[in-house]
Amino acid sequence: MNRPSPRGKRIPPFTVLRFARYLNFLCNLPEEVREISSAEMARTIGIKATQLRQDFFTLGGFGRQGRKYDTRVLEERLREVLALQGSQHMVLVGAGNLGQALANYQDFERFNLYLRGIFDTNPKLIGLRFRGIEVMGLEHMQDFIREQGIELGIICVPHSVAQPVCDALVEAGIKGIWNFSPENVLVPEGVVVQNENLSVGIMNLSYQLSIARED
Amino acid sequence: MNRPSPRGKRIPPFTVLRFARYLNFLCNLPEEVREISSAEMARTIGIKATQLRQDFFTLGGFGRQGRKYDTRVLEERLREVLALQGSQHMVLVGAGNLGQALANYQDFERFNLYLRGIFDTNPKLIGLRFRGIEVMGLEHMQDFIREQGIELGIICVPHSVAQPVCDALVEAGIKGIWNFSPENVLVPEGVVVQNENLSVGIMNLSYQLSIARED
DNA sequence: CTGATCATGTGACAATATTAACAGGTCAAT
DNA sequence: ATTGACCTGTTAATATTGTCACATGATCAG
């Protein structure tokens, strides 16, 4: 199911998720911190140091025996692995509350992810600007994607229209979809989708809480 | 690490996450659909039917051999397992874009989760209302939580203040924290935290996309 | 009633993920 | 130079998850 990385090694899916967390952690670190131990990093993130080292071992060459990790090297390697070194461009569909929140989210640019277009059907929203990006009518979306050669799409529309919006994105050439609607969208072969259902998080929390209460 | 459920059986962590997705799926289903097969449900959600049945088997008694699942029964059982049957109350800290989006998110109430208070330090936001709930100054937060006996807290503040806000929540009696700040917050024993780092999702998507491109 | 079909329940097995144990390198103090 | 305290790299063991094959029950056509 999973293919080898650019360096020829396959990365376990869970390790990829942790790579993202490591990179995020490193980016939040103060500039002057140049090195960090697996123990310190793991404790802050909330995992075991041995797991972190095992993750890095998967790719090899992240650090040197006996020495702490160099934060710069680590960050660079992680960006490389996660394919975040070149700029990637995104469009966002649905400029409701969540859409606006994402449009204003500033962290994306730290990872070379740039929002280029926002689309909605609501006339009250069309023409508004978020961080300099104008909300356009949905009818302009496909042309925009094709002209700019954009590959990433974010879906923040109500669940009843999530699938048609997704289909339109794919038809226009989008290769990766980040879906915040509660509906799981289906995509053809070759297109990647990441479903980010917010309710799942709070339900899991509710369960964990009920377990904790039993102690 | 994990405790038995109210019915005495321990539920694997990954199964809990899928339970949340199943419940979400069922809630999005039209009223008139009274029964559904594991195959149909699994296909829509994007997993294998056998895994879904295995999940239900963990608790037992979700369905009857030879018959499809009764959607009502399923929904009821899942709500029970996830501890969503009684009302739970939440406060939200940070009424920025993401905070507002969550305050306006309508799905929570379908799971008996009710937002009771919103807090921020920004004078421009204090006094505003979202879905009838007024934004209050952060200094009133702890009293509010104690008076209302609230156990769930949502953190939507910038990463530099996430930990102090978290500490204040815990001190006031919050038992479960849903953290949207990019910083992983640390909590004492007995408090549950769910970190919902948005960047992780898009970074994972970036990676998956790079793998797909190699084919 | 009987066979065909379609459904879920269940235990065994295969694939993954996590943790432990330790080998081997680095550095500073003495 | 040597010791000891800290590091990461690597392999092996353990634990958890996902998948399969098939037993078993329901239903319906004829």
Side-chain angles (χ1 to χ4, degrees):
Chain A
M1 189 179 291
N2 237 322
R3 285 307 165 111
S5 80
R7 283 185 128 70
K9 288 176 189 164
R10 177 188 165 278
I11 308 175
F14 282 60
T15 297
V16 174
L17 292 177
R18 280 191 298 271
F19 277 166
R21 291 170 63 191
Y22 302 150
L23 177 54
N24 191 73
F25 168 83
L26 290 167
C27 288
N28 283 340
L29 227 46
E31 261 299 306
E32 65 270 21
V33 180
R34 296 292 182 85
E35 56 176 30
I36 191 164
S37 72
S38 61
E40 189 178 351
M41 198 164 161
R43 183 168 39 76
T44 315
I45 293 182
I47 63 172
K48 304 208 168 179
T50 167
Q51 179 166 59
L52 184 146
R53 290 205 303 277
Q54 179 70 284
D55 284 342
F56 288 170
F57 173 62
T58 299
L59 291 181
F62 274 68
R64 277 169 54 199
Q65 264 185 337
R67 309 201 45 167
K68 295 185 178 182
Y69 293 105
D70 180 315
T71 53
R72 307 283 182 90
V73 172
L74 225 52
E75 189 178 325
E76 212 49 39
R77 293 284 282 116
L78 288 171
R79 282 179 186 274
E80 183 191 335
V81 168
L82 294 169
L84 295 169
Q85 283 188 317
S87 294
Q88 295 188 72
H89 307 282
M90 316 185 285
V91 293
L92 189 158
V93 195
N97 288 108
L98 188 55
Q100 290 179 27
L102 289 172
N104 284 304
Y105 202 66
Q106 303 183 8
D107 272 19
F108 298 144
E109 287 160 24
R110 300 202 301 187
F111 305 116
N112 292 327
L113 297 160
Y114 298 96
L115 185 63
R116 295 303 184 199
I118 307 173
F119 301 92
D120 204 302
T121 52
N122 186 342
K124 288 179 189 165
L125 294 172
I126 293 171
L128 292 183
R129 285 176 173 275
F130 299 98
R131 287 162 65 79
I133 302 155
E134 189 181 350
V135 180
M136 294 170 272
L138 198 61
E139 67 275 15
H140 301 116
M141 184 181 75
Q142 293 194 316
D143 285 341
F144 186 89
I145 291 169
R146 289 195 186 98
E147 280 164 20
Q148 311 254 340
I150 292 172
E151 293 197 325
L152 283 171
I154 308 174
I155 297 179
C156 291
V157 299
H159 97 274
S160 56
V161 288
Q163 188 63 56
V165 162
C166 173
D167 294 343
L169 285 168
V170 170
E171 193 195 332
I174 290 287
K175 296 295 181 198
I177 286 178
W178 201 19
N179 173 35
F180 282 85
S181 94
E183 181 99 354
N184 273 44
V185 294
L186 301 173
V187 293
E189 187 91 7
V191 178
V192 177
V193 61
Q194 165 102 13
N195 291 298
E196 207 81 43
N197 192 322
L198 289 179
S199 299
V200 170
I202 190 72
M203 288 194 251
N204 186 44
L205 187 56
S206 169
Y207 173 80
Q208 301 300 339
L209 202 52
S210 78
I211 297 299
R213 269 194 283 259
E214 286 177 19
D215 294 346
Chain B
M1 188 180 294
N2 238 319
R3 285 306 165 111
S5 81
R7 284 185 126 73
K9 288 176 189 165
R10 175 190 166 278
I11 308 174
F14 284 66
T15 297
V16 174
L17 292 177
R18 280 190 298 269
F19 276 166
R21 290 170 64 190
Y22 301 150
L23 177 55
N24 190 74
F25 168 83
L26 291 167
C27 288
N28 283 340
L29 227 45
E31 261 299 307
E32 64 271 19
V33 179
R34 296 291 181 86
E35 56 176 29
I36 191 164
S37 71
S38 61
E40 190 178 351
M41 198 164 161
R43 184 170 35 80
T44 315
I45 294 181
I47 62 171
K48 303 206 167 179
T50 168
Q51 179 167 58
L52 183 146
R53 291 207 302 278
Q54 180 71 281
D55 284 340
F56 289 170
F57 173 60
T58 299
L59 292 181
F62 275 66
R64 278 168 52 201
Q65 264 185 337
R67 308 201 46 166
K68 295 186 178 183
Y69 292 106
D70 180 315
T71 53
R72 307 283 180 90
V73 172
L74 225 52
E75 190 178 325
E76 212 49 41
R77 293 284 281 117
L78 288 172
R79 281 178 188 275
E80 184 190 335
V81 169
L82 295 169
L84 294 169
Q85 284 188 316
S87 294
Q88 295 188 74
H89 308 282
M90 315 184 286
V91 293
L92 189 158
V93 195
N97 289 107
L98 188 55
Q100 291 179 27
L102 289 171
N104 284 303
Y105 202 65
Q106 303 183 8
D107 273 19
F108 297 144
E109 287 160 24
R110 300 202 301 187
F111 306 116
N112 293 327
L113 297 160
Y114 298 95
L115 185 62
R116 295 303 184 199
I118 305 174
F119 301 91
D120 205 301
T121 52
N122 186 343
K124 288 180 188 164
L125 294 172
I126 293 170
L128 292 183
R129 285 177 173 276
F130 300 98
R131 287 162 65 80
I133 302 154
E134 190 181 348
V135 180
M136 293 171 274
L138 198 62
E139 66 275 15
H140 301 116
M141 184 181 76
Q142 293 194 316
D143 286 342
F144 186 90
I145 291 169
R146 289 196 186 97
E147 280 164 21
Q148 312 252 341
I150 291 171
E151 292 196 326
L152 284 171
I154 308 174
I155 297 179
C156 291
V157 299
H159 98 275
S160 56
V161 287
Q163 189 62 57
V165 162
C166 173
D167 295 342
L169 286 167
V170 170
E171 193 195 332
I174 289 288
K175 296 295 179 199
I177 287 179
W178 200 19
N179 174 35
F180 282 85
S181 94
E183 180 100 354
N184 274 44
V185 294
L186 301 173
V187 293
E189 187 91 7
V191 178
V192 177
V193 60
Q194 166 102 12
N195 291 298
E196 208 81 45
N197 192 322
L198 288 179
S199 299
V200 170
I202 189 72
M203 286 194 252
N204 186 43
L205 186 56
S206 169
Y207 173 80
Q208 301 301 339
L209 202 53
S210 79
I211 298 299
R213 270 193 282 258
E214 286 177 19
D215 295 346

